């Protein structure tokens, strides 16, 4: 069954996901239009990564519907492999094959899933490795690379599959602060090129600059969503305001002593 939306879009309605008695997604509705960048923000444990993993069925939803890349992902007869061929995903921990070179990491799925010849797969991989600044690193192994370089390889690997949609699950959270900007610059370039993207991130400056739409989640529900100038710049919901105050002003500390509440602000 195909979706009624454009192939590169995502339409989620009433999405629910539970682990035993713990319901981590409580009826999520979300629309991602083709060419749009949507950033999911919120505290740890709010369900952001679970939502992202449900989109390409790394997690099986317990309820609701997901249409992605022209497929009804929640149709029991959906061809999961065919759907995933159109959806690239970049994780926090890179997930590169340690026994394969950089080039091989970017060609193995092309050959096995897309059935490309080795020569064609290598040509595509070299193009994307060059685009992320790693054209001269093709013969190296992941252990020989920095965290930022490994993440850029992971992005090149995903792009080598010619995805219609890219999913990023906190791609900079495991990186040294000095390398975060390199990865964000690549993602910014993808957005400018019109790639449809859903990004779980704590990088508020990136979300405000690049996102077309920001979704704030907490405890498995969407608390607030809209343009970044609204959600990040002028949030309406108290829970969103509290979260952003803590994220954007991390030196703000509230300490409770007995029944008195003492608030201190440390100047950096």
């Amino acid at each position: 069954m195909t979706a009624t939306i454009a192939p590169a879009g995502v339409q989620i309605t009433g999405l629910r996901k539970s682990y035993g008695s713990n319901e981590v997604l409580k009826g999520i509705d979300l629309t991602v239009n083709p060419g749009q960048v949507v950033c999911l923000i919120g505290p740890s444990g709010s369900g952001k990564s679970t939502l992202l993993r449900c989109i390409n069925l790394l997690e099986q939803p317990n309820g609701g519907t997901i249409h992605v890349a022209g497929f009804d992902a929640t149709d029991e007869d959906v061809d999961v492999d065919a759907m995933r061929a159109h959806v690239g995903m970049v994780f926090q921990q890179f997930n590169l094959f340690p026994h394969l070179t950089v080039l091989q990491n970017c060609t193995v799925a092309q050959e096995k899933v897309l059935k490309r010849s080795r020569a064609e797969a290598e040509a595509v991989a070299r193009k994307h490795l060059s685009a992320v600044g790693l054209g001269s690193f093709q013969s190296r192994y992941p252990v020989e690379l920095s965290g930022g370089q490994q993440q850029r390889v992971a992005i090149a690997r995903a792009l080598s599959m010619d995805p219609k949609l890219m999913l990023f699950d906190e791609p900079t959270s495991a990186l040294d602060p000095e390398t975060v900007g390199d990865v964000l610059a690549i993602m910014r370039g993808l957005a400018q090129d019109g790639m449809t993207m859903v990004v779980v991130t704590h990088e508020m400056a990136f979300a405000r600059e690049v996102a077309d739409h920001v979704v704030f989640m907490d405890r498995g529900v969407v608390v607030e969503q809209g343009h970044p100038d609204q959600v990040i710049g002028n949030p309406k919901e108290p829970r969103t305001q509290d979260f952003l105050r803590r994220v954007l002003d991390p030196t703000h500390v509230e300490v409770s002593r007995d029944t008195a509440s003492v608030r201190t602000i440390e100047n950096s």
Side-chain angles (χ1 to χ4, degrees), residues 55-70:
I55 290 176
N56 66 351
L57 298 183
L58 291 177
E59 298 286 355
Q60 288 291 332
N62 297 116
T65 60
I66 304 173
H67 290 94
V68 54

Side-chain angles (χ1 to χ4, degrees), residues 130-150:
S130 294
V132 299
L134 295 175
S136 61
F137 287 71
Q138 300 171 31
S139 304
R140 298 195 186 184
Y141 288 86
V143 71
E144 300 176 275
L145 305 178
S146 69
Q149 289 168 338
Q150 290 188 59

Side-chain angles (χ1 to χ4, degrees), residues 10 32 34-35 48 50 59-60 67 75 78 88 94 100 124 154-155 172 175 178 192 208 212 217 223 257-258:
V10 180
V32 183
K48 307 182 302 296
T50 300
E59 298 286 355
Q60 288 291 332
H67 290 94
D75 185 335
V78 67
F94 325 135
L100 299 181
V124 171
I155 294 173
T172 61
L175 302 182
E178 292 185 347
Q192 292 171 348
R208 189 161 190 176
D212 300 294
M217 293 180 61
V223 176
R257 296 178 181 172
D258 298 325

Side-chain angles (χ1 to χ4, degrees), residues 78-114:
V78 67
D79 187 335
V80 176
D81 291 335
M83 183 197 76
R84 287 179 179 158
H86 297 291
V87 182
M89 186 160 184
V90 178
F91 301 87
Q92 298 178 39
Q93 298 296 333
F94 325 135
N95 291 347
L96 300 178
F97 295 111
H99 63 291
L100 299 181
T101 65
V102 165
L103 184 64
Q104 291 168 334
N105 264 281
C106 294
T107 59
V108 61
Q110 293 187 68
E111 293 180 51
K112 292 183 178 297
V113 177
L114 301 183

